[in-house]
């Protein structure tokens, strides 16, 4: 399904809040009209010498994590990089000390005004599909504009349009950055080791963990339909507890009630941090425990980027595009014929919301350690 275009009907029939749907409708309708009437930027085969880059990275935590290995390589190459993010994913960049210059939010007015006052050699839009980020980049003062040409009208907004496919997202980013920087330095990019946790957070986490036999069990997923059921989570937790693991539950405030229920059922051996930790502390806890289990989420990608052992459980999402590929990563997916049912960021299940791709995953499918 991922390779198809998104229609107005798809937006209205996709799962999610009406507030988000209205934003997406505005992007489709208004974005199309604006992109249609804007003069096309002349294409450039080679950008020439550049040193200051602005990178636009909308989306959630996982989207931001996929950018980190490229930011580290750009820093090693001597480039000065600023980021335009969203409030929901900016903490990923802020947690990585001295990795980038300024972190702006395009959903905060003062930040937008500051970005438009600055001048860059190149702006790179890492959004795959929607128009607004491309239109935003169009008006930034920069000699070169680059982004994905997933839609014809997006292509005209960039001087360096880059093809996009439904393969591994790291490979898409590699093509995008190589086109701008004109180097092969991104060939061996990988996620593992791209996320750092610094003192004193790491010391705090080691004091909490204390045991070498610890695991972080994540309940949080931005889309509720991608979450495991309470029954599945309890079975996983009870098994881990029987094997002597101390279990640390993490997730946002939206899963706090669920985590309280699970903690009550399991009793001792479970420490509930759901709704009580920010992103930085959650990441430190994962690093100290060294073992992470959870559904497809931003914290899963952080765990993979930390290089710890992970078990990532995927249902409706595209594993070919988003699943971790590190040597310590294990991906669990039933790979049903109807999966994936996410088209870009649009959730369009064809199963009548039974979600057998996730609900039918059994404890034995995870192949957890004995």
């Amino acid at each position: 399904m991922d390779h198809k275009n998104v229609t107005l009907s798809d937006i209205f029939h996709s799962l999610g809040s009406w507030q988000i749907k209205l934003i997406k409708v505005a992007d489709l309708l208004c974005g199309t009209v604006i992109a249609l009437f804007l003069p096309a930027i002349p294409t450039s085969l080679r950008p020439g010498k550049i040193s200051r880059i602005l990178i636009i990275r909308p989306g959630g935590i996982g989207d931001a994590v996929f950018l980190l290995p490229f930011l580290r390589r750009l820093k090693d190459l001597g480039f000065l990089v600023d980021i335009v993010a969203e409030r929901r994913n900016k903490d990923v960049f802020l947690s990585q000390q001295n990795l980038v210059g300024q972190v702006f939010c395009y959903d905060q007015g003062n930040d937008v005004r500051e970005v438009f006052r600055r001048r860059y050699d190149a702006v790179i839009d890492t959004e795959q599909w929607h128009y607004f980020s491309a239109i935003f980049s169009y008006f930034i003062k920069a000699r070169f504009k680059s982004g994905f040409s997933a839609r014809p009208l997006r292509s005209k907004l960039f001087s360096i349009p880059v093809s996009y496919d439904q393969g591994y997202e790291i490979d898409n980013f590699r093509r995008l950055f190589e086109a701008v920087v004109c180097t092969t330095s991104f060939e061996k990019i990988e996620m593992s080791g791209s996320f750092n946790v610094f003192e004193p957070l790491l010391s705090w986490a080691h004091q909490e963990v204390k045991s070498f036999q610890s695991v972080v069990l994540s309940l949080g997923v931005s889309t509720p339909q991608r979450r495991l059921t309470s029954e599945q989570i309890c079975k996983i937790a009870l098994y881990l507890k029987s094997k002597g693991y101390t279990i640390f539950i993490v997730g946002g405030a939206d899963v706090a009630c669920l985590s309280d229920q699970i903690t009550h059922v399991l009793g001792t051996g479970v420490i509930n941090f759901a709704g009580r930790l920010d992103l930085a502390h959650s990441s430190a806890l994962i690093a100290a425990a060294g073992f992470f289990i959870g559904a497809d989420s931003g914290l899963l990608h952080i765990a993979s980027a930390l290089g710890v052992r992970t078990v990532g459980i995927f249902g409706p999402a595209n594993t070919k595009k988003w699943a971790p590929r590190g040597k310590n990563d294990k991906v669990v997916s039933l790979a049903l014929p109807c999966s994936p049912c996410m088209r870009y960021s649009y959730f369009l299940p064809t199963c009548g919301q039974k979600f057998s791709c996730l609900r039918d995953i059994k404890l034995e499918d995870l192949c957890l350690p004995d």
Side-chain angles (χ1 to χ4, degrees):
M1 175 179 287
D2 249 354
H3 65 283
K4 299 177 183 177
N5 289 338
V6 177
T7 66
L8 190 61
S9 175
D10 290 331
I11 297 176
F12 283 116
H13 287 93
S14 64
L15 300 183
S17 70
W18 279 104
Q19 293 91 335
I20 298 298
K21 288 183 181 182
L22 288 175
I23 294 173
K24 292 178 177 180
V25 168
D27 182 275
L28 179 62
L29 298 181
C30 300
T32 298
V33 172
I34 294 171
L36 182 65
F37 285 98
L38 284 176
I41 297 178
T43 57
S44 173
L45 296 178
R46 188 175 182 86
K49 182 177 177 57
I50 59 176
S51 60
R52 291 180 55 83
I53 300 175
L54 179 71
I55 299 176
I56 302 173
R57 179 65 274 186
I61 291 172
D63 297 303
V65 174
F66 268 81
L67 189 59
L68 293 182
F70 295 91
L71 296 179
R72 297 202 176 281
R73 188 59 53 85
L74 288 172
K75 182 178 180 181
D76 291 341
L77 293 171
F79 291 95
L80 304 176
V81 177
D82 288 344
I83 298 288
V84 176
E86 294 185 46
R87 278 176 285 189
R88 60 179 175 146
N89 70 1
K90 69 174 183 178
D91 286 344
V92 172
F93 305 112
L94 293 175
S95 70
Q96 304 302 289
Q97 297 178 7
N98 303 317
L99 182 59
V100 297
Q102 296 291 316
V103 178
F104 303 102
C105 291
Y106 75 79
D107 46 0
Q108 292 182 332
N110 290 336
D111 284 10
V112 171
R113 287 190 288 271
E114 178 60 28
V115 169
F116 284 133
R117 279 196 290 262
R118 296 184 174 220
R119 184 176 296 277
Y120 295 91
D121 297 317
V123 56
I124 303 175
D125 176 20
T126 62
E127 161 62 28
Q128 306 98 328
W129 174 258
H130 295 100
Y131 281 122
F132 283 162
S133 61
I135 295 169
F136 183 86
S137 73
Y138 185 95
F139 291 102
I140 292 173
K141 299 173 185 176
R143 290 187 293 132
F144 305 102
K145 316 285 179 69
S146 182
F148 290 118
S149 57
R151 308 162 86 170
L153 287 178
R154 272 190 124 252
S155 299
K156 65 177 288 191
L157 304 178
F158 303 117
S159 55
I160 311 171
V162 176
S163 64
Y164 185 83
D165 61 38
Q166 295 303 319
Y168 189 34
E169 194 71 345
I170 289 290
D171 293 334
N172 282 311
F173 279 179
R174 181 181 293 110
R175 290 197 304 275
L176 181 61
F177 283 93
E178 285 181 348
V180 175
V181 180
C182 294
T183 177
T184 58
S185 299
F186 302 100
E187 285 184 355
K188 297 182 179 180
I189 285 286
E190 58 181 31
M191 289 281 289
S192 182
S194 62
F195 194 99
N196 291 333
V197 176
F198 301 94
E199 297 287 354
L201 288 175
L202 199 55
S203 294
W204 166 84
H206 281 296
Q207 290 175 2
E208 293 292 334
V209 170
K210 297 177 184 176
S211 168
F212 292 106
Q213 194 79 337
S214 301
V215 58
V216 171
L217 179 59
S218 176
L219 309 187
V221 180
S222 58
T223 308
Q225 292 79 10
R226 288 154 59 191
R227 293 175 185 163
L228 298 171
T229 65
S230 58
E231 181 181 0
Q232 288 173 305
I233 295 167
C234 281
K235 287 182 178 180
I236 294 171
L238 285 169
Y239 177 85
L240 293 167
K241 182 179 176 181
S242 72
K243 298 301 178 181
Y245 282 90
T246 299
I247 302 166
F248 294 87
I249 297 179
V250 298
D254 55 335
V255 294
C257 290
L258 174 60
S259 63
D260 288 340
Q261 295 171 11
I262 294 169
T263 304
H264 178 73
V265 171
L266 269 65
T268 60
V270 179
I271 301 174
N272 182 10
F273 279 119
R276 302 170 189 173
L277 297 181
D278 59 16
L279 181 71
H281 283 84
S282 296
S283 303
L285 195 65
I286 295 169
F291 186 15
F292 176 95
I293 299 175
D296 172 30
S297 67
L299 286 182
L300 169 64
H301 295 301
I302 286 178
S304 175
L306 284 166
V308 306
R309 185 168 44 140
T310 71
V311 177
I313 305 168
F314 281 74
N318 188 339
T319 55
K320 181 180 178 182
K321 174 173 289 295
W322 298 110
R325 297 189 179 187
K327 64 179 181 180
N328 294 323
D329 297 321
K330 179 181 179 181
V331 175
V332 178
S333 172
L334 297 182
L336 299 184
C338 58
S339 297
C341 62
M342 293 193 73
R343 193 182 307 165
Y344 293 100
S345 60
Y346 299 89
F347 196 14
L348 296 159
T350 59
C351 61
Q353 299 195 39
K354 294 179 181 178
F355 300 113
S356 299
C357 58
L358 193 60
R359 306 292 180 250
D360 287 354
I361 292 177
K362 304 293 191 297
L363 179 63
E364 51 268 27
D365 296 324
L366 305 185
C367 298
L368 298 175
D370 294 328

